[in-house]
Amino acid sequence: GSVGCNMRCPFCQNWHISTWSSQIKLSRIDPLELLSLVKKYRVTAVAFTYNEPLISYEYLLEAMPLLKKENVKVVLVTNGLINPLPLKEIVHYIDAANVDLKTFNRETYKKLGGDLETVLKTLQILKSFNVHVEITHLLVTGINDDLGEFEALCSWIAGELGDKVPLHISRYFPSHKWTKPPTDISLLERALEIAKRYLEFAYLGNVSKFSDTFCPSCGKLVIKRRGYKLQLLSVTSDGRCSACGFDLGIVLL
Ligand code: SF4
């Protein structure tokens, strides 16, 4: 990660790095140095994340092919604001992506400095190139808490990308310029219920429950998660439920 972002969300949960601050000490790791660190520590996957990685596009263009040559998995965590042509230049090197889909309302997207159509196109391109795609949706009090719009978002994901795309509905906490109260837990639970009508893998983020994975076919608990810790309980090496064989779409490194 680095600093900077091409959007200006007033509720940014990472605002100290997404906005420029000279107090942040940075040290540059050029792509060749990154490669030697990866080799030295036998790293199996590198994620470009924290701030918006696409603003360092030239860096990605140089680093991603080097990593792929070493069989290192490449993960992109992004707001998805990129045009199709430059995306297609790097998409072959991306194994997995987590894309923020902030709202299904064009006007709200514009106010945040983004563009709904561009993000939807990015998701379609990633999926069409067989990238493992997950979507994060931060449910922010007073910004995107209309559940009708949220339902339209879930329906679009299922229809355009498939019902196996995991959706992480994250709880917002007051941050940066946004002081509205944290997302109501009961609203998050209602959003989760709606998501589950359309998608097989919907989770709540930034809350202690609802982050485990259950097999949609037989209901078995297959992955248990507590914060950043996870336990694979019933997943085969090719990402299927060990109890019933259902393809969970899970990527194991
Ligand atoms: S896109 Fe993400 S990192 Fe950028 S301003 Fe919005 S919330 Fe912050």
Side-chain angles (χ1 to χ4, degrees):
S2 180
V3 291
C5 185
N6 49 1
M7 286 183 75
R8 286 288 173 266
C9 308
F11 49 79
C12 184
Q13 310 279 292
N14 280 339
W15 65 272
H16 51 289
I17 52 172
S18 69
T19 57
W20 177 257
S21 158
S22 53
Q23 283 160 358
I24 296 175
K25 297 275 170 283
L26 292 171
S27 56
R28 183 182 162 81
I29 300 173
D30 70 39
L32 283 173
E33 204 181 333
L34 176 66
L35 191 66
S36 58
L37 286 171
V38 156
K39 285 181 184 165
K40 182 174 170 191
Y41 295 104
R42 298 184 185 177
V43 170
T44 53
V46 169
F48 295 95
T49 179
Y50 296 116
N51 72 317
E52 175 49 54
L54 291 174
I55 64 164
S56 310
Y57 180 77
E58 291 77 4
Y59 187 93
L60 301 183
L61 204 55
E62 214 179 317
M64 284 179 168
L66 293 175
L67 294 170
K68 287 315 290 175
K69 250 191 200 161
E70 293 301 317
N71 273 331
V72 174
K73 303 281 185 206
V74 171
V75 179
L76 185 72
V77 182
T78 175
N79 62 23
L81 277 185
I82 183 168
N83 285 316
L85 270 178
L87 176 58
K88 285 177 186 171
E89 289 280 311
I90 55 171
V91 72
H92 304 281
Y93 308 116
I94 305 171
D95 295 283
N98 188 309
V99 180
D100 265 6
L101 182 51
K102 295 188 183 291
T103 165
F104 217 59
N105 181 310
R106 280 184 190 82
E107 290 311 308
T108 310
Y109 240 113
K110 260 190 209 157
K111 282 185 198 151
L112 305 177
D115 178 65
L116 175 63
E117 264 69 36
T118 304
V119 181
L120 298 183
K121 189 77 201 159
T122 293
L123 284 164
Q124 286 169 322
I125 292 173
L126 288 167
K127 198 68 194 160
S128 70
F129 280 85
N130 284 328
V131 173
H132 174 82
V133 174
E134 307 210 359
I135 296 175
T136 295
H137 179 76
L138 186 73
L139 198 55
V140 185
T141 316
I143 297 271
N144 58 359
D145 48 6
D146 177 319
L147 291 182
E149 274 172 21
F150 176 75
E151 181 156 5
L153 178 146
C154 296
S155 161
W156 184 89
I157 297 171
E160 292 293 324
L161 309 176
D163 60 5
K164 278 192 178 160
V165 169
L167 174 65
H168 304 269
I169 310 157
S170 290
R171 190 179 192 204
Y172 137 92
F173 289 94
S175 179
H176 195 28
K177 298 174 183 167
W178 207 249
T179 53
K180 300 258 182 191
T183 324
D184 196 73
I185 295 284
S186 67
L187 185 77
L188 284 161
E189 289 179 0
R190 274 190 286 145
L192 183 64
E193 256 178 58
I194 293 171
K196 284 189 168 175
R197 279 185 224 143
Y198 295 87
L199 303 165
E200 286 181 343
F201 302 104
Y203 305 95
L204 292 188
N206 295 341
V207 292
S208 52
K209 39 184 193 167
F210 302 117
S211 53
D212 295 332
T213 300
F214 293 88
C215 172
S217 174
C218 69
K220 194 171 173 66
L221 173 62
V222 290
I223 303 179
K224 191 173 169 183
R225 296 187 182 84
R226 293 295 171 269
Y228 287 117
K229 287 195 183 134
L230 69 81
Q231 251 181 304
L232 287 179
L233 298 176
S234 181
V235 184
T236 61
S237 56
D238 60 349
R240 291 174 178 274
C241 169
S242 351
C244 72
F246 183 81
D247 181 6
L248 298 162
I250 286 171
V251 180
L252 297 172
L253 296 180

